[in-house]
Amino acid sequence: MVQDGVILGVFEHFYEDNALDLPGVNTHYVVIGYQCRIDGDAISMHDQQHAEFQWWSPQDLLDSDAVHDNTKAYFASTPTNGFNAASADTGLPPAPLSK
């Protein structure tokens, strides 16, 4: 079960390749990032792209060369996405998810 979600912002991810390995086709993802509480048994990420996952402290994640920059962006104190849901620009706190 997912609880107490807070929006982190909207992020864009660009890749020079694609999931189907088609030549000359790149990939663009638009991601809405959330921080939320998750029951341990609710996590299932085992597929061809995500063979394993690991829990990290935010600082260890930011310091690691093993973590992709797109993932680090969710944990950065200064977002690189140009949008911060809790910024003074909006004047609003992050919106919680419905339970």
Side-chain angles (χ1 to χ4, degrees):
M1 176 164 67
V2 178
Q3 302 174 37
D4 303 324
V6 176
I7 190 169
L8 296 175
V10 179
F11 299 81
E12 292 184 283
H13 299 179
F14 297 93
Y15 299 93
E16 294 297 321
D17 59 358
N18 61 81
L20 300 176
D21 292 325
L22 298 173
V25 178
N26 58 18
T27 303
H28 175 207
Y29 293 103
V30 177
V31 178
I32 301 173
Y34 286 88
Q35 177 181 357
C36 50
R37 199 175 315 194
I38 301 173
D39 293 338
D41 60 353
I43 300 171
S44 176
M45 289 181 46
H46 299 286
D47 57 30
Q48 289 180 344
Q49 187 177 4
H50 305 98
E52 60 184 64
F53 61 96
Q54 176 177 337
W55 294 112
W56 301 68
S57 73
Q59 193 59 55
D60 287 346
L61 180 144
L62 290 167
D63 291 342
S64 175
D65 290 334
V67 178
H68 195 283
D69 287 342
N70 287 342
T71 300
K72 290 180 181 183
Y74 305 130
F75 297 88
S77 59
T78 304
T80 58
N81 62 357
F83 173 83
N84 182 350
S87 74
D89 294 339
T90 65
L92 299 173
L97 287 176
S98 300
K99 291 184 181 179

